[in-house]
Amino acid sequence: MLQQLEDNSVDAVITDPPYCSGGQTANARAQTPSSKYEQSSNVIVHRPDFASDTMDQRSWMHWCALWINDCQRVLKPEGYFLMFTDWRQLPAASDALQMGGLIWRGIVAWNKGGGARAPHKGYFRHQCEYIVWGTNGKCPHAKHAGPYPGCYDFPVRHKDKFHLTGKPTPLMEELVQIVPEGSVILDPFAGSGTTCVAAKKHNRQYIGFEKTKVYYDIAEKRIKEVG
């Protein structure tokens, strides 16, 4: 689908691809997403699995570089690229961004809150995920907003979580505002459509791709419900 988009046609890519993390062995990484992301003692709603979450790190980095390179092609000059990742894949994600032809600009932290899990009392909580961000060439001087926060604090609310790894809608509403109203935002891994919902709420145009039908249907329904 990315290959069908025109060159220099979108203002920003904001996306949350499969992390392919969560285990030190091939068997651990090959678990279904639900077994990795849902804890049986805390599960309130069981959400469907999704594809492409079982690659080893080198395969994942190579795969990311391929689709990021296509994103670089469709991004306008000075366009933004934002990609979610976790601590395990953070080094590989920053490499993949650069391998894809973009300029790495930094890391934004998303603080999920003190409810984030830790294996035992000796651990620091894994309460942050990260956004690796860059630009297609020069970083623009924004006139409509900015500078933007380097850290966002949004807890995960079950009533606002429509995907196994869904991000809070208020977080995505903040992120889509890095580009002015009317801008086109692309999400190649749309999941339950939160990027598209946020874009529509804030008068940005959007393009979203999702290969898992159950999540495509959820995304379509959520987008239609935006006034």
Side-chain angles (χ1 to χ4, degrees):
M1 298 294 290
L2 273 171
Q3 294 173 0
Q4 298 177 32
L5 298 181
E6 295 183 2
D7 294 2
N8 306 323
S9 58
V10 305
D11 298 282
V13 174
I14 304 176
T15 194
D16 182 19
Y19 291 175
C20 295
S21 63
Q24 296 182 354
T25 66
N27 285 340
R29 287 192 299 272
Q31 295 179 57
T32 61
S34 58
S35 65
K36 289 196 289 184
Y37 297 115
E38 288 184 337
Q39 294 177 286
S40 58
S41 60
N42 296 332
V43 170
I44 296 175
V45 178
H46 286 281
R47 299 176 179 88
D49 284 316
F50 56 93
S52 305
D53 195 51
T54 56
M55 287 175 273
D56 61 56
Q57 191 172 67
R58 287 184 175 178
S59 299
W60 182 82
M61 186 164 65
H62 174 69
W63 171 72
C64 284
L66 293 175
W67 64 260
I68 292 172
N69 186 250
D70 254 333
C71 289
Q72 187 272 332
R73 176 185 62 80
V74 303
L75 272 170
K76 295 177 182 178
E78 302 186 7
Y80 287 95
F81 178 88
L82 279 66
M83 169 185 172
F84 280 89
T85 188
D86 69 356
W87 65 271
R88 299 177 186 88
Q89 298 290 54
L90 183 55
S94 63
D95 286 348
L97 183 151
Q98 295 170 85
M99 291 165 64
L102 299 167
I103 297 176
W104 182 28
R105 297 292 181 181
I107 298 165
V108 178
W110 165 42
N111 175 24
K112 297 180 284 187
R117 61 190 176 186
H120 56 69
K121 289 185 177 180
Y123 262 72
F124 291 92
R125 292 184 185 275
H126 296 307
Q127 73 184 71
C128 288
E129 292 184 23
Y130 305 93
I131 301 165
V132 177
W133 76 280
T135 54
N136 188 22
K138 183 180 178 181
C139 187
H141 287 271
K143 297 180 180 179
H144 70 289
Y148 313 111
C151 179
Y152 292 92
D153 298 296
F154 289 103
V156 176
R157 307 289 189 192
H158 282 285
K159 66 180 181 180
D160 183 45
K161 188 172 182 180
F162 302 89
H163 188 282
L164 271 172
T165 62
K167 302 302 183 281
T169 303
L171 170 62
M172 303 313 295
E173 289 186 55
E174 290 286 332
L175 295 179
V176 299
Q177 296 183 63
I178 62 170
V179 291
E181 291 189 10
S183 299
V184 180
I185 297 171
L186 167 65
D187 187 349
F189 304 93
S192 57
T194 308
T195 304
C196 302
V197 167
K200 188 174 180 181
K201 281 186 174 182
H202 292 275
N203 302 313
R204 274 72 175 172
Q205 301 180 73
Y206 57 88
I207 302 169
F209 303 144
E210 177 51 45
K211 69 187 296 183
T212 304
K213 186 179 186 304
V214 64
Y215 285 125
Y216 176 92
D217 292 341
I218 291 170
E220 188 175 45
K221 180 177 184 293
R222 292 181 67 204
I223 292 166
K224 287 179 178 178
E225 289 175 350
V226 177

